[in-house]
Amino acid sequence: MQYFIDSANAAVIAALCRDFPVAGVTTNPTIIAREKGDFRTVLLAVRKAVGDRLLHAQVTAETAEGMCADARDLRALAGEPFAVKIPVTREGLRAIPMLKAEGFTVTATAVFSPTQAMLAAEAGADYAAPYINRFDTVCGDGIRLVNDIALLYAQNGYATKILAASFKNAMQIAEVMAAGAQSVTLAPDLFDGMLSHPMTDLAMDAFRRDWAGVYGDASVQDLLRE
Ligand code: E4P
């Protein structure tokens, strides 16, 4: 399972990369714009924070040729390892094989149907990104979508990975992982949401209390080195 940070905030990315087993970062035009900075500066700060993990950036051009030009310039600025995000429009579908021929890692994004995911895979995308919460919001079933895509990819022998995106809680993340997603991209606060559990906190409290009842303030180090 690969975990990506869905953010362009360098400080937040650096902190999460320090503590969690992170595969990289995903951005999109909305996420970049949220930083309200000079675009080059924002992207370079993200690269510095994410280090040699995979950095995704999205094109804004809407023709295949324009997408390829955006991809080249984004990769030249951001450096490798780099993945270009291409929306699953008709022009996007045309751009994917062109970008693969130039050696790009390609993520087909804004996927809301199994047919879009299938077309992206046949065109050669390395990742396909279904948007779970946005789909659920309009009475779709994001988990079922991932399940269907996973089944279809397996049936057709596609190597395209499912990069599930757009979550509002840890339960959705657990469900897409069980449904067959090989990677997820998460808003920063969801990393703690995946990890924290009140029963873990209670267990920690009991460990501290029981230990202190016998050994007081002494630590393992204190006792082994005395
Ligand atoms: C992924 O590529 C998208 O940027 C993202 O996951 C969308 O998430 P949102 O619906 O929380 O904005």
Side-chain angles (χ1 to χ4, degrees):
M1 180 60 55
Q2 293 181 303
Y3 300 94
F4 291 93
I5 308 167
D6 207 21
S7 171
N9 185 294
V12 166
I13 292 167
L16 288 172
C17 285
R18 189 195 62 190
D19 299 340
F20 286 85
V22 168
V25 159
T26 57
T27 67
N28 63 31
T30 305
I31 288 169
I32 295 279
R34 201 175 288 150
E35 298 307 306
K36 295 190 179 1
D38 169 70
F39 175 52
R40 287 167 194 269
T41 309
V42 170
L43 202 61
L44 289 174
V46 170
R47 166 54 74 202
K48 192 169 174 206
V50 77
D52 60 5
R53 299 172 182 86
L54 186 62
L55 192 165
H56 286 73
Q58 189 167 324
V59 300
T60 58
E62 296 189 7
T63 64
E65 289 74 15
M67 290 175 187
C68 291
D70 280 2
R72 287 182 210 112
D73 289 348
L74 286 167
R75 183 167 67 176
L77 179 65
E80 294 280 9
F82 175 79
V84 63
K85 285 175 72 179
I86 302 292
V88 285
T89 60
R90 191 158 168 159
E91 287 295 306
L93 211 55
R94 191 160 72 85
I96 291 171
M98 293 160 69
L99 289 162
K100 289 308 297 172
E102 292 187 36
F104 279 92
T105 298
V106 177
T107 294
T109 194
V111 170
F112 287 89
S113 74
T115 50
Q116 290 175 326
M118 285 293 282
L119 288 168
E122 184 62 25
D126 299 280
Y127 292 90
Y131 282 18
I132 311 311
N133 195 55
R134 292 194 198 190
F135 196 39
D136 289 355
T137 302
V138 293
C139 278
D141 184 341
I143 310 303
R144 164 114 194 253
L145 174 61
V146 171
N147 203 63
D148 289 349
I149 296 171
L151 185 71
L152 289 167
Y153 280 4
Q155 280 175 358
N156 286 273
Y158 289 131
T160 308
K161 288 191 172 79
I162 299 172
L163 171 51
S166 180
F167 296 100
K168 74 166 188 291
N169 59 53
M171 191 63 201
Q172 290 172 323
I173 301 165
E175 288 181 341
V176 297
M177 293 195 288
Q182 294 90 352
S183 52
V184 290
T185 185
L186 312 174
D189 59 324
L190 285 171
F191 280 85
D192 275 326
M194 274 202 303
L195 182 63
S196 66
H197 200 289
M199 290 304 290
T200 305
D201 297 340
L202 278 177
M204 292 294 293
D205 288 344
F207 295 147
R208 281 186 209 103
R209 192 174 55 246
D210 295 344
W211 177 270
V214 175
Y215 302 111
D217 288 340
S219 67
V220 165
Q221 286 292 302
D222 293 336
L223 298 182
L224 294 180
R225 286 161 188 254
E226 70 184 4

